[in-house]
Amino acid sequence: MKKIIKKALTLLSVYYAYMVEYRAELILWVLAGSLPIILMGVWIQAAQNGKFGLTPVDFARYFLAVFLVRQFTVVWVIWEFERQVVEGKLSPRLLQPLDPAWHYISTHLSERLARMPFTLFLVILFFVLYPQTFWLPSFANLVLFAVSVMLAFALRFVIQYTFAMFAFWTERASALENFWYLFYLFLSGLIAPLEVFPEPVRAIALLTPFPYLINFPASLLVGLPVDITRGFLTMIGWFLVFLGVNRLLWRRGLKQYSGMGA
């Protein structure tokens, strides 16, 4: 166990040092995730003229929560893995006594730590500009939010990493992610809370993993009504499904892999 912890801390420290070298790029990444803040203005205006069951303040808090969730759950492993497979750079990592997945996980976690100061700055700026939206979530909601965000990141990562496995058979595995993103955009709660969706659409969406990547954690933070037990069980269930598919594709993909760019 000590050796595992030592390896994990070493990976995190190395990749964190690498990430902080590109602070300007990190700021751009944080700003690139500000789409929810833009959509917030649209829905606040719509809430003043329509009947959505949510007040303008509710929409503002929800989209701020969406912004936070996206900052902690952004994943790019498919593009990194695809590049390494195509260029043959995956080969050296296969010789190491460590699953390459842990390199990608460490990269993502260290990037989370590096971008956190910029994220907090934007949250504080948001409350300064819109003081009427300030609120303090209960301790229980904060704990549930933290757990749900960790699960959402794990689920988002394993989904995209599973798509990345197709790089063993095609040079454009990222096309799968682009197709998946269309459904993610509309059904995850990124562009609108699920509460404003028609009931049949919402019922179907809740059977998919999409709402649990954004809408579920964001709703927990702002206190919107959600089925907590169903939410966590669904996240764990989808995680196990994609993890099983991922390991199957990994084993078969290694037999296909030739390190073409090495």
Side-chain angles (χ1 to χ4, degrees):
M1 180 60 68
K2 291 182 179 180
K3 291 182 178 179
I4 294 175
I5 295 176
K6 185 177 180 180
K7 290 179 181 179
L9 292 177
T10 300
L11 281 175
L12 287 173
S13 61
V14 169
Y15 284 117
Y16 178 79
Y18 174 77
M19 286 296 171
V20 295
E21 290 181 2
Y22 301 93
R23 294 183 179 87
E25 187 175 358
L26 278 174
I27 295 175
L28 293 177
W29 286 353
V30 173
L31 293 177
S34 60
L35 175 62
I37 305 301
I38 299 174
L39 292 171
M40 177 194 69
V42 176
W43 281 104
I44 287 178
Q45 186 63 35
Q48 295 174 349
N49 301 321
K51 297 179 181 179
F52 295 104
L54 297 175
T55 66
V57 171
D58 290 332
F59 276 110
R61 291 174 177 174
Y62 173 81
F63 281 107
L64 176 63
V66 170
F67 170 76
L68 287 173
V69 172
R70 291 197 71 204
Q71 294 302 316
F72 289 114
T73 61
V74 61
V75 176
W76 66 88
V77 63
I78 190 169
W79 290 278
E80 181 70 12
F81 187 84
E82 179 184 79
R83 180 182 62 82
Q84 291 184 350
V85 170
V86 172
E87 297 178 0
K89 295 182 178 179
L90 181 64
S91 301
R93 290 189 173 180
L94 294 177
L95 300 176
Q96 299 176 2
L98 185 70
D99 192 303
W102 291 109
H103 286 279
Y104 306 122
I105 294 173
S106 299
T107 302
H108 283 68
L109 293 179
S110 61
E111 191 270 347
R112 294 302 103 90
L113 295 174
R115 75 160 61 197
M116 191 174 296
F118 307 114
T119 301
L120 292 177
F121 170 77
L122 289 179
V123 171
I124 294 173
L125 180 62
F126 177 86
F127 286 133
V128 170
L129 296 176
Y130 302 97
Q132 67 273 20
T133 63
F134 181 78
W135 89 104
L136 290 175
S138 66
F139 178 75
N141 282 1
L142 283 175
V143 173
L144 290 173
F145 172 73
V147 175
S148 66
V149 164
M150 288 188 289
L151 285 175
F153 166 71
L155 178 57
R156 184 77 177 95
F157 182 90
V158 76
I159 289 173
Q160 193 177 106
Y161 193 41
T162 300
F163 293 154
M165 295 297 105
F166 287 93
F168 288 122
W169 292 274
T170 174
E171 295 182 7
R172 288 295 178 266
S174 54
L176 291 172
E177 170 65 18
N178 294 333
F179 179 72
W180 163 276
Y181 189 77
L182 294 175
F183 297 95
Y184 170 82
L185 187 65
F186 290 100
L187 298 178
S188 65
L190 173 60
I191 63 173
L194 258 63
E195 283 74 14
V196 305
F197 285 22
E199 182 59 34
V201 177
R202 183 162 64 248
I204 294 174
L206 290 174
L207 298 176
T208 70
F210 299 107
Y212 307 98
L213 299 174
I214 290 183
N215 186 85
F216 180 69
S219 297
L220 287 174
L221 182 61
V222 300
L224 294 178
V226 290
D227 190 332
I228 298 176
T229 302
R230 175 182 177 177
F232 283 116
L233 289 178
T234 304
M235 294 174 81
I236 294 173
W238 277 112
F239 175 82
L240 293 176
V241 168
F242 277 98
L243 181 62
V245 175
N246 178 279
R247 294 297 84 187
L248 177 62
L249 293 176
W250 170 256
R251 288 193 292 269
R252 294 188 176 182
L254 287 180
K255 298 178 181 178
Q256 179 74 19
Y257 177 63
S258 61
M260 66 185 80

